[in-house]
Amino acid sequence: MEFIVKSQSPEKQKTDCLVLPLFQSARLSGAVEKLNQASKGTFGTLHKRGDLAGNVTQVVLLQSIEGLSAQRVLLLGVGKDGKISSVQYRELLQKMIATLCDTNAQDIVIDLNDIQVKDKDLNWKIRQVIAAFHFAFYRFDEYKSKKDPKLSTLRKVTFNVLTKKDVTLAQNAIEQGVAIVKGIELTKNLANVPANICTPTFLAEKAKKLAKAHNKISTAVLEEKDMRALKMGLLLSVTQGSDSSAKLITMEYRGARKDVKPIVLVGKGITFDTGGNSIKVPPNMIGMKYDMCGAATVFGVLEAASLLELPLNIIGVIPSCENMPGPSATRPEDIVTSMSGLTVEILNTDAEGRLILADALTYCERFAPDVVIDIATLTSACQLALGPFASGLMSNYQPLADALIQAGNQSSDRAWQLPLWEEYAEPLKSEFADLSNIPLNPIGGATIVAGAFLAKFTQKFHWAHLDVANTATTNSPKRGATGRPVALLVQYLINRCNAI
Ligand code: BES
Ligand code: MN
Ligand code: ZN
């Protein structure tokens, strides 16, 4: 779909459908009043009938009104003063798209200027429209013999803005919105592939493809023999029950001078999590093909960063393997030595994410990073704690946590910080090793305890951890990956560029 910007009075727009806000008032106002004059009173008649009440999130489609250049007019109810919440705005967009899908419109003009969303600007309003179209139209039907039918004939969306300055702002928002949506699409497409196809080798191939498609991205893949040389005992202990070979994928986007310290993104890439010998019960295994959503996020962010040509250096690190049970799989109570030298007693092989991440995080030291951010579907407890709305955030450096929270609010892909007090690491003390991977006696707060485990391996740099077990996938309205937290992270990167 194509998005463009124009600055023209609404009643003169030649389009298949003109989309305008509708106010709740005794008299017609704004652009609708101008349309009313052009149509010799049609809107006034409808208003008198009570059909143009303008209640918040009312949506009215009008066809073939005489005197207008637009074939259709779609009115979005915004209440008395046009001030609505971000949730209401998104609901309006959803309804707008559903209504457009029932028409044969191919190009539309949207005029959002009189809608004021609390704490949000034009950039946000435009990016939300682009995200809403992606969300509504996204399909994953690669493995269906009969493809899903196309929902809509829509091809072109024009944003109508008021001033020259807004034209520039809107163009910038479109550029960002489209890049983010492309990143989100890549993330979802990778995450939705089932684990019999999406193996660590598959991810490594996709990483090489990404490097081919973007000239500032390069990729390197480490094999198990390299991991042995690096003494990555934790990562190797997770993969040892699987027939698929583990990969440590590094993707490097170079958008700044060589001496600029990189932002490193580490994504959990468990292509399937059975739990290993601490095997999951069958209902809990559904959804575990998504245990590589952190890795998929790293792909999406790098793609968006490259499309936006961000003047930053970004390194993606993806430890990837399968967590399988079996005769050669790790047993509970096995003790393994990590790359950092710390020994770990594995009390539960289902707490595997923190193990592969620990070695990957130690590996990050070699990049002399500015910051390291890991993204992982790490704990089911994160679903209990936060529901589906905010990713779990933990950090050893408050300015980084603050920047991520802010980026989450700006992009409406929010994160909520949890405390990483040292008490949370206490139950990870082991009788026989330097630490255990889960508490022998659980204290609750499993999301934070997992974060506290990772913190043992991140003492040499500024680090944040995003637990996305609750946000990376959804079951409603459709089952699948959400592409979160790509928007949050790309916003963080954009903000970093603006701060240079
Ligand atoms: N991949 C899971 C976490 C998960 C669960 C993500 C549900 C998305 C949905 C992780 O490897 C895991 O199994 N975590 C365990 C840890 C426990 C053994 C301490 C969990 O959260 O139950
Ligand atoms: Mn697990
Ligand atoms: Zn897992």
Side-chain angles (χ1 to χ4, degrees), residues 116-136:
Q116 287 164 51
V117 185
K118 197 171 182 302
D119 300 329
K120 306 295 183 193
D121 56 9
L122 180 65
N123 178 286
W124 181 90
K125 284 195 283 181
I126 288 179
R127 277 168 50 178
Q128 288 298 315
V129 173
I130 297 169
F133 276 114
H134 161 79
F135 182 77

Side-chain angles (χ1 to χ4, degrees), residues 273 275 280 291 323 350-352:
D273 182 11
K280 289 179 186 292
D291 216 13
N323 188 21
D350 198 11
E352 85 297 340

